Amino acid sequence: HVQLVESGGGSVQSGGSLRLACEVSGYDFERYCMAWFRQAPGKEREAVAGIYTGRRSTHYHTSVKGRLTISMNDAENTLYLQMNSVKLEDTATCYCAVDHQPRTCPADVSEFDYWGQGTQVTVS
């Protein structure tokens, strides 16, 4: 079965950097969308970045453009999110997810089939 395991969260000062990782196993999809979501306390879960494996096209939430970079390492079966120039509003639980039948990437949260357990990012 598909498993996603996130790591790399933690505490960071405003303006600093952090890199999240999501190791994926147990899948056999050829073309799929992988995305990073965040959920701040009292707010809905939202996609911050997505990558379509077919064309390696990426898409970012407006609030993170130029600061966050999503990438994949096929050899390691790992998805990354490089977070630079972090802001207080980046504080959230971050999740990686897979949509194995994407119509768009990233689609709505309800379209994603597999989720990691989440990793906390705290900016102070």
Side-chain angles (χ1 to χ4, degrees):
H1 62 284
V2 179
Q3 284 191 307
L4 289 76
V5 180
E6 298 113 335
S7 61
S11 297
V12 60
Q13 290 190 336
S14 180
S17 297
L18 205 62
R19 189 176 78 156
L20 307 183
C22 172
E23 186 173 353
V24 187
S25 61
Y27 68 98
D28 60 359
F29 324 127
E30 290 190 357
R31 300 288 183 263
Y32 53 97
C33 172
M34 291 201 70
W36 286 97
F37 288 77
R38 67 183 177 191
Q39 187 165 19
K43 295 189 176 182
E44 293 186 352
R45 192 172 298 188
E46 63 177 0
V48 294
I51 184 167
Y52 179 59
T53 63
R55 296 185 300 273
R56 293 302 167 106
S57 55
T58 57
H59 178 81
Y60 296 92
H61 190 281
T62 303
S63 67
V64 306
K65 280 184 179 178
R67 301 190 299 115
L68 273 58
T69 303
I70 189 171
S71 63
M72 290 187 65
N73 185 314
D74 291 334
E76 298 176 352
N77 291 329
T78 301
L79 177 76
Y80 294 100
L81 184 68
Q82 178 66 42
M83 305 176 69
N84 296 329
S85 302
V86 297
K87 302 178 179 181
L88 294 176
E89 52 263 40
D90 291 327
T91 294
T93 303
C94 294
Y95 302 87
C96 60
V98 174
D99 176 359
H100 78 287
Q101 294 181 315
R103 289 172 292 178
T104 185
C105 181
D108 183 78
V109 62
S110 62
E111 298 292 326
F112 284 78
D113 314 284
Y114 306 98
W115 293 85
Q117 81 284 359
T119 185
Q120 180 66 37
V121 172
T122 302
V123 182
S124 60

